[in-house]
Amino acid sequence: MNQSGLPARRTAHHLLMQIIGEGRLMPELIVGGALARLENDDRARAQRLATEALRGLDRADRMLKPYLKKPPPDHVMNALRLGVIELCNGEAAHGVVNAYVEIVARNKRTQSMKGLTNAVLRKIADEGPAGWTKRPLPLTPGWLRQPLVAAWGRDAVLGMEAAHFAGASLDLSAKGDPETVANAVGGHVLPTGTVRVPNAGQVSSLPGYASGDWWVQDAAAAIPVKALGDVTGLKVLDLCAAPGGKAMQLAAKGAQVTAVDISEKRMQRVSENLARVGLATEAVVSDAFAFDQGGFDAILLDAPCSATGTIRRHPDLPYAKDGSEFGALIDQQEAMIDHALNLLKPGGRLVFCTCSLLPDEGEVQVEEALKRHDGLTVDPKAFDLEGIDPDWVTPEGGLRLRPDYWPEFGGMDGFYIAVLTKAA
């Protein structure tokens, strides 16, 4: 790791500039090589700094506001935000202040503001961690917070925001006995059978990774397959299969799985993960609408969505997006439900799910599908599962999972799941 910390800090600053200013997502930037020139330790540090800044952005801005007569240019503001995060985490003021003054000074358009940067960060250093903790929890950006409050109420959203700020532990689905995996990795088994590992570190270094004893999968994302019950010997389609966690679950439960996804690169990763855990599926690279093989006993459709349920793990999302594309996603989900039903044999089951907190991508989709398809029914009893609170089952018969659930365990992703049965 570079001892000055400047390369990691400059990269973290670049990530913020791209996410907040250009609407690009963190995974996209990393795949594009944003961290490629850094040493391994600096890569981890840059990503951690940017992630912590995004989680605490609203609180950082509240701390900075008294010391700024007006918002400075984004280049300066993002340097100040990162400085706040580091200073309030107890980093030595001298190194932090000098680094972000240097970042501001290197830009010709903002070099005149290095004095402001120095003065503001010195004042923040005087407040330190005590000033940070006395501020309210960071709020979700208004474009998303407003519809969430309308859907779930202010208290529920405050609970979600607490979960988002806390971040997410590593969750694993065990190929075999969850208790055995939990004991090996230093985790604990959640009520639904997922293994949760706080402070996990490097995933590939955990016991059982190389031997394929488990795969990474949030606890909420593991529920859709559980809701299908016994799938032994059934012909099951996993539509929009990447990153592959549900395909692995289905194969481990004895299903004959066909996994379909439009991305050849992502499907290659799915195949690699399946090989690591010693499971097999038929892997098909195809647009979901172009795939026309029918006669499936069950279909799992984890439809493309806003991903607003994953902010615990992806705090960049509410800053890179503004909701403008959600209408098109909702239309696509509707069409995918109709297409999936055409591929399902009479009497077969379709699990529709999205990692979204927006009812338009969950409850409303199912209500509308029931109106469009005669004889289509919802099976709320599919969620009579260990660890599932009956209050989470919604009036139309689906299951609503939210980040503010399980606060004693560290929350879960937001998800909507419904099990639909086609007329025989």
Side-chain angles (χ1 to χ4, degrees):
M1 181 174 68
N2 184 285
Q3 294 304 307
S4 73
L6 190 59
R9 286 164 169 150
R10 289 185 67 193
T11 300
H13 183 267
H14 170 73
L15 291 172
L16 287 193
M17 292 294 294
Q18 291 295 304
I19 292 165
I20 299 170
E22 302 298 329
R24 301 182 67 185
L25 291 167
M26 180 95 72
E28 172 194 347
L29 293 166
I30 292 172
V31 169
L35 308 179
R37 296 185 180 181
L38 297 177
E39 299 175 15
N40 286 341
D41 287 348
D42 278 337
R43 289 182 188 180
R45 186 179 186 185
Q47 190 171 351
R48 175 180 57 79
L49 279 174
T51 298
E52 290 177 356
L54 291 162
R55 283 204 176 104
L57 198 78
D58 178 64
R59 183 180 278 187
D61 286 357
R62 289 170 187 264
M63 284 197 74
L64 289 165
K65 188 174 181 179
Y67 305 121
L68 298 169
K69 292 182 179 179
K70 62 179 181 178
D74 288 349
H75 189 88
V76 177
M77 191 66 182
N78 286 325
L80 292 172
R81 287 163 168 161
L82 288 163
V84 169
I85 295 300
E86 291 207 64
L87 291 168
C88 293
N89 278 329
E91 292 290 334
H94 179 76
V96 173
V97 175
N98 284 352
Y100 292 109
V101 168
E102 174 72 11
I103 288 170
V104 169
R106 287 190 179 197
N107 187 306
K108 291 182 179 180
R109 295 182 178 180
T110 62
Q111 60 186 197
S112 63
M113 305 189 79
K114 62 183 182 181
L116 170 71
T117 304
N118 179 77
V120 169
L121 290 181
R122 293 289 178 191
K123 291 173 181 176
I124 295 293
D126 290 340
E127 287 199 52
W132 178 256
T133 55
K134 73 180 183 182
R135 260 69 176 195
L137 283 170
L139 302 181
T140 305
W143 72 264
L144 178 57
R145 193 173 201 271
Q146 291 171 8
L148 292 182
V149 169
W152 311 117
R154 192 170 303 277
D155 288 345
V157 172
L158 287 172
M160 295 181 201
E161 288 166 338
H164 293 163
F165 184 53
S169 296
L170 180 71
D171 284 357
L172 309 176
S173 286
K175 183 180 175 183
D177 177 43
E179 288 287 355
T180 301
V181 171
N183 290 334
V185 300
H188 57 275
V189 181
L190 294 170
T192 53
T194 289
V195 176
R196 179 155 290 179
V197 191
N199 305 312
Q202 181 64 36
V203 171
S204 59
S205 66
L206 289 175
Y209 175 84
S211 53
D213 296 342
W214 48 261
W215 54 89
V216 176
Q217 187 176 34
D218 186 82
I223 302 301
V225 171
K226 294 178 186 291
L228 272 175
D230 184 10
V231 294
T232 305
L234 296 186
K235 183 180 176 183
V236 183
L237 172 64
D238 185 3
L239 201 58
C240 307
K246 298 176 184 65
M248 285 184 271
Q249 276 183 283
L250 290 164
K253 292 180 69 173
Q256 301 173 31
V257 184
T258 300
V260 174
D261 198 271
I262 193 172
S263 168
E264 183 173 356
K265 187 173 184 179
R266 283 161 60 90
M267 282 301 291
Q268 176 62 35
R269 184 66 181 271
V270 171
S271 297
E272 291 169 359
N273 286 333
L274 284 160
R276 179 179 66 81
V277 300
L279 297 169
T281 72
E282 179 186 2
V284 178
V285 177
S286 173
D287 180 278
F289 295 106
F291 183 82
D292 59 3
Q293 179 183 336
F296 287 95
D297 298 300
I299 297 176
L300 196 152
L301 171 59
D302 189 352
C305 70
S306 65
T308 47
T310 68
I311 296 173
R312 291 163 62 244
R313 290 179 289 112
H314 301 294
D316 50 322
L317 190 144
Y319 295 101
K321 295 178 179 278
D322 61 6
S324 58
E325 77 276 32
F326 290 177
L329 284 170
I330 291 166
D331 290 343
Q332 184 183 44
Q333 292 155 17
E334 178 180 317
M336 281 189 165
I337 291 173
D338 294 347
H339 179 62
L341 288 170
N342 287 333
L343 305 179
L344 193 64
K345 75 177 188 180
R349 290 171 296 162
L350 167 65
V351 176
F352 167 73
C353 58
T354 58
C355 53
S356 171
L357 290 170
L358 302 172
D360 283 347
E361 297 186 286
E363 292 87 342
V364 175
Q365 285 286 14
V366 168
E367 290 169 353
E368 294 298 321
L370 294 173
K371 295 176 184 177
R372 292 195 307 275
H373 297 276
D374 291 338
L376 186 67
T377 58
V378 186
D379 181 13
K381 292 185 178 180
F383 304 113
D384 292 343
L385 301 169
E386 188 174 357
I388 297 298
D389 189 326
D391 289 342
W392 299 348
V393 178
T394 54
E396 81 291 338
L399 184 72
R400 167 54 64 187
L401 304 176
R402 299 194 324 226
D404 56 315
Y405 294 166
W406 282 355
E408 69 274 27
F409 300 120
M412 63 173 77
D413 277 0
F415 242 85
Y416 176 81
I417 309 159
V419 180
L420 307 170
T421 302
K422 185 176 179 178

